[in-house]
Amino acid sequence: MRQLFLPFSGALALFLLVYAASRFALWGLVLAAFLAYLLYLVLFRWQGRLLARGPSRAALERLAMREAWRKGGVLRPGDLSPFLPEAEARALLEGLAARGLCRREGEGFRF
């Protein structure tokens, strides 16, 4: 459902703009429908590719920092399980520790 919102709203906006610009003529209705359909397809494919790639590394790091803030500064890889598999969460936290953004304390990481 959420994936259809952007393409539909973009296509609807273009349809209304083109149809109103043609002063609600019949040829404007056909042109507006055609252009709106093309925009819908383009936005649907673009958004699908974007969602298939998943979140960027920077977005995952911000997510980890936000979760650490919510948990009081200490984060374990299992705390990121709703968002990432544990192996990927561990690699992400190890990368943050290697860059000096957190330090390892036993099983967890302190930010």
Side-chain angles (χ1 to χ4, degrees):
M1 177 66 189
R2 288 174 47 176
Q3 187 177 359
L4 298 177
F5 182 72
L6 177 67
F8 180 74
S9 61
L12 180 64
L14 182 68
F15 174 80
L16 293 173
L17 282 172
V18 172
Y19 191 44
S22 70
R23 297 186 180 177
F24 305 104
L26 182 60
W27 63 269
L29 177 68
V30 173
L31 178 66
F34 177 72
L35 291 176
Y37 181 69
L38 285 178
L39 182 65
Y40 177 82
L41 290 178
V42 168
L43 287 176
F44 186 77
R45 290 193 62 206
W46 172 76
Q47 186 178 13
R49 284 193 312 267
L50 195 64
L51 291 174
R53 279 190 301 191
S56 68
R57 182 81 176 174
L60 291 173
E61 290 173 355
R62 283 193 306 268
L63 175 70
M65 289 180 200
R66 187 174 304 134
E67 283 296 310
W69 181 77
R70 286 182 61 234
K71 302 273 184 188
V74 178
L75 190 65
R76 289 181 291 284
D79 294 337
L80 295 174
S81 64
F83 313 108
L84 291 170
E86 190 164 341
E88 288 181 30
R90 183 173 307 282
L92 176 71
L93 292 172
E94 298 275 344
L96 287 172
R99 291 184 13 219
L101 296 172
C102 64
R103 65 178 184 271
R104 186 172 193 139
E105 288 186 355
E107 183 63 28
F109 293 82
R110 179 165 298 279
F111 283 80

